[in-house]
Structures are given as C-alpha cells and as structure tokens.
Amino acid sequence: MNDMLVIDNVSYRYKTRELPTLKHLHLHVKKGEMLLLAGRSGCGKSTLIKAVSGLVNTAGAGELHGKIYLDGRDTAVMTPEEIGVMVGTVYQSPDDQLFAMTVADEVGFALENQGLDEHIIAEAVKNVLQRVGLAGFEQNSIHTLSGGQRQRLALASVLVTKPKLLVLDEPVSQMNPQGVEDFLKLLASLNREDGITIIVVEHRVHELAKYFPRLAVMFDGEFIYDGAMELAWAKIGSAEKLGLREPQKVKLCRYLHLTKLVDDTQEIVNLVKSECIIGKKKKFSSGQKQTGELIVKGEAVKYRYPGAKTDTLQGLDFELHKGETVALMGFNGAGKSTLINLLGGLTDLTAGKLEILQGSATEHAHEIGYLRQEPDLMLLADSVWEELTWKNKNAGAEYLWQLLAKLKLTDNVEDFPLALSKGQRLRVVLGALLARKPKLLLLDEPTTGQDQQSLEEIKKLIADFAKQAGCILFCTHDIELASEIADRVIIMADGRIIADGEPEIVLADRTILAAGGLTVPPLLNVAEALLLPKCITVEGVGRYVSPSVMGRL
C-alpha cells in the first residue's frame, strides 16, 4: 500500500457539544509526502491531529465515527503505544511535552521505556541531536533553551523512535524568521533523506508555502480545498475568511489584478512587466508621525541576570512616545523579552536610567499593560468575563462587550479561559489588558497562534489604541506585521540596539536584516528586480506600479 495515512469518512463530536467538530472527512496522504494543513482557529485541525494520534477517543471524551488507517492498519485495533511509535507528534507548545531535566534525558526517555541498553540509547540520542541541530547540548538543562531550541528538542524526542509519520502543530510559532527557515529545511531533509511523511498544521501559510507542494484547508470541520499549493490561491477565494495568511507576493498579484496568482518572484516580475504600468517618478512620503509626549526614556540601560558573567542588555538608549506603535525585533536571545520585562516592572535594571511616565514602572504599574510571551500564566479567573473584570470593576459593560466583539470572544464569555485554543487564550489576556485602558501597552509576540482573521482584529485593536494616544511596544518576528502597523522598528542583536527607524527603511536594509536574524521581505526582491526603489509592502510597490486594463478583474 502506498498510503501512509487514510482518513475515511471520519466524524467526531465532543460530548460537551451539540454539533460535530469533524464532519465526514476524507484524506489520503501518501508515503513520503509533505502536507500543509491550514484553516482558521476552531475549524477542527487540532482535533484531527488528536484523532490521527489516537487521543480523541480516550476516557469517553467524545464520539468517533469512520476509519483511520496508518500504513494500512486500522487505528481502532492498535494500542496507543503502537500508534505512538508510528506517529511522532510535536504539539503547539513544546513545553507541554517536555518534562525531563536535561536534553539527553528528554530524548532518551522513550528508548529507556523500551528497555534498550544505555550505550545504544546514548548513541541514538547523540545522532538525533546532531540531526536537529542540537549537537553538544546533551547535558544542558531544558530550562536554559530558547523557544526555538525547545521546539527542536521536542522534535528530537519523537524522532528518536523513528516514526513513519511526523505530525507538527504550529511548530514555528516561537521562532525568528531565520530560525523558521532553518527548521523548515530540517523538515524537508527529514522527508527527503529519511523518507518520513510529514503533516504540518500552521496559520503561517505565507512562510511555509514554498516547502509544501500540497495544501489542505479546513473550514467548519470539513475540507474545502485539497490540492496543489500553487493552484490554491485562485480556487479558495477569501483567504482571510478561511484564516489563511497568503504569501505576500500572492497579495501583490491580487492588488495589481494580475492574470495569475503566483508566489514566484520571476513570474511576478514577468507578469508586471507585461500587464502593468511602471512609473518611477512617484516620491515616497513616509508620513512619519509627529513625536508626541515622552512616555518612556532609557539611557545606557543595562541588565545582567544573577550569576551571569556578561550583561544581557548592554547600554540601551531609546525613547517611546504617546500615540506611537513600535516594533521590537531580532534574534531569539537578543534581549527583547528582557527589555520588555524591565518596562513591565518585572525586574530592575542593573545600571543606567529608565523613566516611564516620568517615574518608575512600579509607580505606574496600573498604567502599564503587559502581554507576556506565555499568556497562559496570566489567566487566573474561571471565565472570560471574570478575566476582563478582575480588579477592574469600573469598566463599563458596554465597552467590555464591544471589546469582546472585536476579539471574537462574545460566544466564550462563560468559558473557562484555559480550556480555549491557544489563539483564543492570548486574545483573552489582551482583552483583559485593554479593558484597563493603560497608557503603555507592552506586547511580547501578540500574534502567536492567530489565524489571519484574528490577526486582522488584533491589528485593528492596536491601531485603535494608538489613535487614542496610547503607546505600544510589541515584540515580534513577523516582518510583514511590523511593516504594516509599526511607526518605528527597533532591531536588537546581542543585547544592543543595531537599528532604530522607519520600517520601510530599516526592514529594507539587507545588512541589518541579517544581523538581526530576519529574512528578506519577499517584495524587496520583486522591487529590486523591477528596478524600483526599495519596497517591502504591497502598498509600497503600488506607489510605482499601476494595474492596466489588461489585468485580472
């Protein structure tokens, strides 16, 4: 049999819900195939993964109908252990499946359970760590690893058992762009060299598209597209409605009404030259905001973690102003989260000066909203409504309901927050912060796990907050997001600020991008190939290129 996975008329309903989450699904994945599974939050992707991994029908949690076959075997007659050996699953948050103290103990655990000799285990651990780029990390504590390294460790812990099918749920959500590229190249090599069949669930289709020849899209528990990646954009219609982030070059094709929707630079250049009017006389006006009231001022800010030999922050000078939206970017480990922790009052600087609202973070804690990288740690109440009103009794009900509507959470007001999806949990915490109407809003990776529709809502909330004279500093790896909503970009590397300026200038500098661990924006290559001034957004290219009447309607 050539199929690694067959899903035959599968439906699933959680006992707590009236309607099924999965509805008569059919899917065939061949051995050695790479499939990207996408769809908006709540469409059933995670439930489908659990069904394939043999986890949905445990403890009578729901009703499963239909058949699932793994390499020709019916999972209904397989033990969880047999399924676990055949299917390696890496979940959305690596911390949910890491529990050992050291890297070697984590990777070797499954083999220890099989009773293998310790020398065989040590050799297997060494080989798999080499494979995932963690060679030499055997004795490192798991807690010292970055988010991207923990994701690689989670992958290693399942690869060590040599699964035939690898299933990954949003595996690159915590990585910087260069980390994403390296991880995807690793998956491609595992597929090519080891013959592992790979299924990845992701919202970030725009970043992953070039690595996956096949795309399957779910909507409301059903597949509404399953086919070639390059044909998807013309067939599926509204990508935003389906929760998909289209590649930026595909968005440009739509914007210019080109006759084809493609994600290849040279193809787009040829289409633009034959179908559009290119003018080089338009001048770029940045529209940079006037500097408002000073909210934050840092002078020679340094921070050193207890026991460390060097400073994590090495003398930062920066300012944040009223009504300003600033993106903080750079490699994992560059010091971004440390800086936000200082601004949020979670720790004190080692040296230098930091003024917030003409005082300290402690003095103005009630005027600072801080969305941490691990929003689950901020959820304390038994319902979404209680989260928004906790120690915030003066918030008006009308304002809260408007906020819930913008966050797409009106149907979840009575739900237990930690039972929601990762994207929904993040929006609950963001809502709780906005409900307090802070003057300074600190957001550490605010779009992690968000589908395109939810991302658009978060962008609107950030824009509204800035219009109301709020000041926003958001940490992100998302170059497209930063270029669209930030007034200014600060890029950090090795504890220092290496760039601070307008997105259109900073994010078009290849030297700065490389130094900050960021990939080149896709449209920069297009603009350069068309001999245009440097552009990193669809609208930027649109300043110099106009659709002609011959284009796509």
mmCIF file of all heavy atoms in Angstrom, residues 257-279:
data_model
loop_
_atom_site.group_PDB
_atom_site.id
_atom_site.type_symbol
_atom_site.label_atom_id
_atom_site.label_comp_id
_atom_site.label_asym_id
_atom_site.label_seq_id
_atom_site.Cartn_x
_atom_site.Cartn_y
_atom_site.Cartn_z
ATOM 1 N N HIS A 257 -4.161 43.134 -9.831
ATOM 2 C CA HIS A 257 -5.110 42.470 -10.751
ATOM 3 C C HIS A 257 -4.388 41.697 -11.857
ATOM 4 O O HIS A 257 -4.783 41.741 -13.026
ATOM 5 C CB HIS A 257 -6.070 43.500 -11.377
ATOM 6 C CG HIS A 257 -6.788 44.335 -10.374
ATOM 7 N ND1 HIS A 257 -7.660 43.807 -9.461
ATOM 8 C CD2 HIS A 257 -6.759 45.673 -10.130
ATOM 9 C CE1 HIS A 257 -8.143 44.773 -8.701
ATOM 10 N NE2 HIS A 257 -7.606 45.911 -9.073
ATOM 11 N N LEU A 258 -3.306 41.009 -11.491
ATOM 12 C CA LEU A 258 -2.569 40.221 -12.478
ATOM 13 C C LEU A 258 -3.397 39.012 -12.902
ATOM 14 O O LEU A 258 -4.269 38.540 -12.165
ATOM 15 C CB LEU A 258 -1.228 39.765 -11.905
ATOM 16 C CG LEU A 258 -0.273 40.880 -11.456
ATOM 17 C CD1 LEU A 258 1.028 40.290 -10.927
ATOM 18 C CD2 LEU A 258 0.014 41.852 -12.603
ATOM 19 N N THR A 259 -3.118 38.497 -14.078
ATOM 20 C CA THR A 259 -3.921 37.395 -14.624
ATOM 21 C C THR A 259 -3.646 36.066 -13.935
ATOM 22 O O THR A 259 -4.382 35.110 -14.113
ATOM 23 C CB THR A 259 -3.658 37.236 -16.138
ATOM 24 O OG1 THR A 259 -2.247 37.164 -16.365
ATOM 25 C CG2 THR A 259 -4.237 38.416 -16.906
ATOM 26 N N LYS A 260 -2.554 35.983 -13.173
ATOM 27 C CA LYS A 260 -2.238 34.772 -12.412
ATOM 28 C C LYS A 260 -1.888 35.142 -10.984
ATOM 29 O O LYS A 260 -1.356 36.226 -10.734
ATOM 30 C CB LYS A 260 -1.065 34.026 -13.060
ATOM 31 C CG LYS A 260 -1.368 33.405 -14.405
ATOM 32 C CD LYS A 260 -0.116 32.803 -15.023
ATOM 33 C CE LYS A 260 0.417 31.620 -14.249
ATOM 34 N NZ LYS A 260 1.620 31.016 -14.872
ATOM 35 N N LEU A 261 -2.212 34.238 -10.058
ATOM 36 C CA LEU A 261 -1.822 34.407 -8.663
ATOM 37 C C LEU A 261 -0.654 33.464 -8.395
ATOM 38 O O LEU A 261 -0.842 32.252 -8.312
ATOM 39 C CB LEU A 261 -2.994 34.078 -7.737
ATOM 40 C CG LEU A 261 -4.258 34.933 -7.901
ATOM 41 C CD1 LEU A 261 -5.349 34.441 -6.963
ATOM 42 C CD2 LEU A 261 -3.953 36.398 -7.617
ATOM 43 N N VAL A 262 0.545 34.020 -8.286
ATOM 44 C CA VAL A 262 1.735 33.187 -8.157
ATOM 45 C C VAL A 262 2.600 33.673 -6.998
ATOM 46 O O VAL A 262 2.476 34.803 -6.533
ATOM 47 C CB VAL A 262 2.567 33.192 -9.465
ATOM 48 C CG1 VAL A 262 1.789 32.534 -10.591
ATOM 49 C CG2 VAL A 262 2.952 34.621 -9.857
ATOM 50 N N ASP A 263 3.498 32.778 -6.547
ATOM 51 C CA ASP A 263 4.382 33.086 -5.415
ATOM 52 C C ASP A 263 5.842 33.003 -5.834
ATOM 53 O O ASP A 263 6.716 32.821 -5.005
ATOM 54 C CB ASP A 263 4.086 32.107 -4.262
ATOM 55 C CG ASP A 263 4.783 32.503 -2.964
ATOM 56 O OD1 ASP A 263 5.006 33.713 -2.762
ATOM 57 O OD2 ASP A 263 5.111 31.612 -2.163
ATOM 58 N N ASP A 264 6.092 33.159 -7.124
ATOM 59 C CA ASP A 264 7.454 33.087 -7.651
ATOM 60 C C ASP A 264 7.881 34.478 -8.117
ATOM 61 O O ASP A 264 7.175 35.128 -8.896
ATOM 62 C CB ASP A 264 7.522 32.100 -8.813
ATOM 63 C CG ASP A 264 8.910 32.004 -9.406
ATOM 64 O OD1 ASP A 264 9.762 31.334 -8.808
ATOM 65 O OD2 ASP A 264 9.140 32.630 -10.471
ATOM 66 N N THR A 265 9.046 34.924 -7.638
ATOM 67 C CA THR A 265 9.497 36.288 -7.929
ATOM 68 C C THR A 265 9.613 36.557 -9.421
ATOM 69 O O THR A 265 9.097 37.568 -9.922
ATOM 70 C CB THR A 265 10.853 36.554 -7.242
ATOM 71 O OG1 THR A 265 10.686 36.463 -5.829
ATOM 72 C CG2 THR A 265 11.373 37.937 -7.595
ATOM 73 N N GLN A 266 10.282 35.674 -10.147
ATOM 74 C CA GLN A 266 10.495 35.922 -11.573
ATOM 75 C C GLN A 266 9.188 35.918 -12.353
ATOM 76 O O GLN A 266 8.997 36.743 -13.260
ATOM 77 C CB GLN A 266 11.463 34.886 -12.151
ATOM 78 C CG GLN A 266 11.958 35.242 -13.562
ATOM 79 C CD GLN A 266 12.604 36.620 -13.625
ATOM 80 O OE1 GLN A 266 13.517 36.928 -12.856
ATOM 81 N NE2 GLN A 266 12.126 37.467 -14.527
ATOM 82 N N GLU A 267 8.283 35.027 -11.986
ATOM 83 C CA GLU A 267 6.970 35.004 -12.655
ATOM 84 C C GLU A 267 6.226 36.308 -12.450
ATOM 85 O O GLU A 267 5.615 36.850 -13.375
ATOM 86 C CB GLU A 267 6.130 33.835 -12.125
ATOM 87 C CG GLU A 267 6.229 32.556 -12.919
ATOM 88 C CD GLU A 267 5.102 31.587 -12.594
ATOM 89 O OE1 GLU A 267 5.268 30.788 -11.654
ATOM 90 O OE2 GLU A 267 4.050 31.639 -13.275
ATOM 91 N N ILE A 268 6.260 36.820 -11.210
ATOM 92 C CA ILE A 268 5.574 38.081 -10.916
ATOM 93 C C ILE A 268 6.213 39.225 -11.683
ATOM 94 O O ILE A 268 5.515 40.082 -12.258
ATOM 95 C CB ILE A 268 5.594 38.370 -9.398
ATOM 96 C CG1 ILE A 268 4.696 37.392 -8.664
ATOM 97 C CG2 ILE A 268 5.147 39.799 -9.115
ATOM 98 C CD1 ILE A 268 4.717 37.531 -7.168
ATOM 99 N N VAL A 269 7.535 39.249 -11.725
ATOM 100 C CA VAL A 269 8.235 40.304 -12.459
ATOM 101 C C VAL A 269 7.815 40.286 -13.930
ATOM 102 O O VAL A 269 7.533 41.340 -14.529
ATOM 103 C CB VAL A 269 9.762 40.130 -12.314
ATOM 104 C CG1 VAL A 269 10.509 41.040 -13.284
ATOM 105 C CG2 VAL A 269 10.189 40.422 -10.885
ATOM 106 N N ASN A 270 7.763 39.103 -14.524
ATOM 107 C CA ASN A 270 7.358 38.992 -15.933
ATOM 108 C C ASN A 270 5.921 39.451 -16.130
ATOM 109 O O ASN A 270 5.606 40.152 -17.112
ATOM 110 C CB ASN A 270 7.520 37.548 -16.410
ATOM 111 C CG ASN A 270 8.977 37.109 -16.453
ATOM 112 O OD1 ASN A 270 9.894 37.937 -16.508
ATOM 113 N ND2 ASN A 270 9.209 35.803 -16.425
ATOM 114 N N LEU A 271 5.023 39.055 -15.189
ATOM 115 C CA LEU A 271 3.617 39.464 -15.295
ATOM 116 C C LEU A 271 3.467 40.975 -15.166
ATOM 117 O O LEU A 271 2.708 41.608 -15.911
ATOM 118 C CB LEU A 271 2.792 38.759 -14.213
ATOM 119 C CG LEU A 271 2.496 37.281 -14.420
ATOM 120 C CD1 LEU A 271 1.952 36.656 -13.137
ATOM 121 C CD2 LEU A 271 1.484 37.091 -15.561
ATOM 122 N N VAL A 272 4.190 41.559 -14.205
ATOM 123 C CA VAL A 272 4.109 43.012 -14.004
ATOM 124 C C VAL A 272 4.590 43.752 -15.245
ATOM 125 O O VAL A 272 3.966 44.722 -15.705
ATOM 126 C CB VAL A 272 4.925 43.431 -12.769
ATOM 127 C CG1 VAL A 272 5.082 44.951 -12.713
ATOM 128 C CG2 VAL A 272 4.261 42.932 -11.491
ATOM 129 N N LYS A 273 5.706 43.296 -15.800
ATOM 130 C CA LYS A 273 6.256 43.972 -16.979
ATOM 131 C C LYS A 273 5.303 43.899 -18.178
ATOM 132 O O LYS A 273 5.242 44.837 -18.979
ATOM 133 C CB LYS A 273 7.604 43.349 -17.352
ATOM 134 C CG LYS A 273 8.734 43.734 -16.403
ATOM 135 C CD LYS A 273 10.049 43.091 -16.829
ATOM 136 C CE LYS A 273 11.188 43.549 -15.930
ATOM 137 N NZ LYS A 273 12.482 42.907 -16.312
ATOM 138 N N SER A 274 4.565 42.802 -18.295
ATOM 139 C CA SER A 274 3.681 42.635 -19.457
ATOM 140 C C SER A 274 2.269 43.161 -19.224
ATOM 141 O O SER A 274 1.560 43.462 -20.190
ATOM 142 C CB SER A 274 3.614 41.153 -19.857
ATOM 143 O OG SER A 274 3.029 40.386 -18.815
ATOM 144 N N GLU A 275 1.860 43.304 -17.946
ATOM 145 C CA GLU A 275 0.462 43.644 -17.682
ATOM 146 C C GLU A 275 0.254 44.964 -16.936
ATOM 147 O O GLU A 275 -0.877 45.404 -16.775
ATOM 148 C CB GLU A 275 -0.207 42.521 -16.874
ATOM 149 C CG GLU A 275 -0.231 41.181 -17.587
ATOM 150 C CD GLU A 275 -0.879 40.087 -16.751
ATOM 151 O OE1 GLU A 275 -1.456 40.411 -15.700
ATOM 152 O OE2 GLU A 275 -0.815 38.913 -17.158
ATOM 153 N N CYS A 276 1.328 45.584 -16.457
ATOM 154 C CA CYS A 276 1.171 46.784 -15.622
ATOM 155 C C CYS A 276 1.929 47.980 -16.188
ATOM 156 O O CYS A 276 2.756 47.854 -17.089
ATOM 157 C CB CYS A 276 1.667 46.501 -14.207
ATOM 158 S SG CYS A 276 0.717 45.252 -13.336
ATOM 159 N N ILE A 277 1.623 49.123 -15.622
ATOM 160 C CA ILE A 277 2.319 50.362 -15.968
ATOM 161 C C ILE A 277 3.291 50.672 -14.839
ATOM 162 O O ILE A 277 2.888 50.801 -13.679
ATOM 163 C CB ILE A 277 1.316 51.518 -16.131
ATOM 164 C CG1 ILE A 277 0.308 51.188 -17.239
ATOM 165 C CG2 ILE A 277 2.040 52.829 -16.426
ATOM 166 C CD1 ILE A 277 -0.874 52.137 -17.273
ATOM 167 N N ILE A 278 4.563 50.771 -15.168
ATOM 168 C CA ILE A 278 5.590 51.022 -14.158
ATOM 169 C C ILE A 278 6.057 52.467 -14.287
ATOM 170 O O ILE A 278 6.535 52.879 -15.340
ATOM 171 C CB ILE A 278 6.784 50.065 -14.320
ATOM 172 C CG1 ILE A 278 6.314 48.612 -14.236
ATOM 173 C CG2 ILE A 278 7.848 50.344 -13.253
ATOM 174 C CD1 ILE A 278 7.403 47.596 -14.508
ATOM 175 N N GLY A 279 5.902 53.232 -13.216
ATOM 176 C CA GLY A 279 6.342 54.625 -13.204
ATOM 177 C C GLY A 279 7.349 54.827 -12.104
ATOM 178 O O GLY A 279 7.173 54.342 -10.987
#
